[in-house]
Amino acid sequence: MTSSWTLSEADDIAELVLDCPGKRHNVLSREVLGELDQLLAILETRPFRGLVIRSGKPQGFAAGADVHEFRRILDAARAAELTRAGQMVLARLAGLPYPSVAIIHGPCLGGGLELALACSYRVACEDERTSLALPEVKLGIHPGFGGTIRLPALIGPLPALSLMIGGRGLSARKARGLGLVDACVPQRHLDAAARALLRDVPPKGRPPWYRGFLAAPLLRPYVGAFLQRRLKAKVECRHYPAPCRIVSLWTRQASFEAEALSCAELLVSPVSRNLVHMFELSEELKRRARAHAHGVRRIHVVGAGVMGADIAAWAAIKGFYVSLQDRAPEVLARAIKRAHGLIGERLKGRAAEAARDRLMPDMRGGALPKADLVIEAIIENRDAKHALFAQVEAQVPERTIIATNTSSIPLDDLAAGLSVPKRLVGLHFFNPVTKMPLIEVIGGAVSDPQALAAMRSFAVALDRLPVDVKSSPGFLVNRVLMPYLLEAVSLAEEGVALADIDAAAVDFGMPMGPIALADTVGLDICLAVAQTLSAPLDLSVPDLLARKVEAGSLGKKSGQGFYRYPRPRGPSPVRPPSDPIIAERLIMRLVNEAARCLRLGVVTDPDTVDIGLVYGTGFAPFRGGPLGYAEALGTGEVLSRLTELSERCGVRFTPDPAWSQDGVLARRPLDP
């Protein structure tokens, strides 16, 4: 027995149980792998019939390598040394003189799946919580413990490369269909299935001929070149090099040593550093939120528009009992139909039926007296919300939290209409609710801290990231995004080609150009938010935006915005390199407003700004968020660029005082 592993024996079968002390999930740290190496040295000398490896944690098998160790690795040589060490331990496991089987339940991710791949067989629990993935690309790296070699050999190159490049998870059944696992059984049968494999010792898994033949030496270079072309049409390799490295390693039939060197080089790159930092921040926010119980079981959503319907559907998908209210029966019927469709996209079979059963239409609000949480999602009108809150407050118990999904009205203005104003909090969801991973948790001057803590925990229960924001015009995301969008419209008004504006933003690393984004959001919505924020934020709204809306050109939803829809398909035309001044104007507006939000206390620290804008706007995560990007440039360089732009383009680029104030942009250290 070591601190993380327990070795036992029964009926000539050895069993290793992994249970990392003090951690919610198992992680493969250097210490854990070192202990496994010591135990394998013992197991190599013993005449067992087989080995079973399993997790002692109910949460799952293993969540991969210890990400916290990554930031302590400062050079590629050291990273390669550690990667080789991990490879050697798993090679020792794969080389045991008898078969081994991994029993998998819950998450089996990254290094955890590489551990399972080194076993002779894999048995997975037939449970919706079971997920198998190699998500290293999300941290700017690729598998480094042999995964780039073992996975293609097991299931074939195309599905293996797809899994590694996308970082997506597979359910137990899908993993069985691909041959990634040898058996998929209910939890009560896991032990029997594992021991049956060790008793019968069937041939080890290999891909069927129609998947495996693409790995033939003569075909491999052509397949690799094809995959690189397809990949580069979707991924900018200079921004995110890991996916392209994965294809390159496979094409070259790279060795374990080449995998280790490549992974090590990526691990110490700025891209990986920033992506790992974003991951650590998100996990820390979730950890802190989970420290408080949310106490929510029944939710009542008022307002059955797109946002209300999607909030209700997502909550039902995540296991909550939801009632959805609207005054118009046809709107409510349409919302329930939409919600059922969303549930069907996410869940199948009994799980989908159970989620639909948890969602109830409630035109008269009969479920209010039992609600633990009421979410208001009606029109952005202060008087309408006041009237609704008065009705709601008269019917709900004292313990019920009331949340508004407002995107622009100050929380204190809305709370003034309640007899118990401290029970009101803001929960700002983003559209589309089922895809956007962020929720702004908004506190007003009198908001109850316990209610805010409950809403953070509730957001995590919805599988969303909670970011604390002080009630202020536009909160964080909309406030920072709006100057960026308006600068794009100003560029268009000056005659800059729309495609050039969008190309400059995408070249910088944004997921979509600002013109296309405005069309997607809706130009009428952009104009309404801009006009609401124009006075408090001193924003100048370009006339072009108002003229578009007056002409009925509202974007995608009307078929015409800045672009005409549907846009023509096919390969994008080859364009010359984008003008760097376009990207600088767009990004400096955004970065300057982000610093202003920090100085004014809209959020409490630079990390919150960065993670909020990465998850809320898609700001290039490989750059570490807007303030992370500014930090890389240096405060002096940011000041210089803003000053030059203010002289050239106007006072809207005037540097915020935050850039000159000591300590405002200082980051707090993450908990170890």
Side-chain angles (χ1 to χ4, degrees), residues 473-491 514 526 529-530 533-534 537-542 585-594 596-597 613 617 652-653:
F475 310 127
L476 173 65
V477 171
N478 284 347
R479 176 173 183 147
V480 175
L481 186 62
M482 194 47 59
Y484 167 78
L485 294 179
L486 294 182
E487 191 62 29
V489 178
S490 294
L491 284 161
C526 289
V529 174
L533 299 179
S534 60
L537 303 189
D538 196 22
L539 290 176
S540 176
V541 183
R585 283 178 58 174
L586 295 169
I587 301 305
M588 284 297 113
R589 286 291 304 273
L590 190 153
V591 166
N592 202 33
E593 191 59 43
R596 183 174 292 122
C597 284
L613 294 172
T617 71
R652 64 186 183 276
F653 285 100

Side-chain angles (χ1 to χ4, degrees), residues 42 140 171 175 200 231 236 243 282 544 635:
I42 297 170
S171 67
D200 300 335
L231 183 60
E236 183 56 71
S282 65
L544 177 59
T635 301

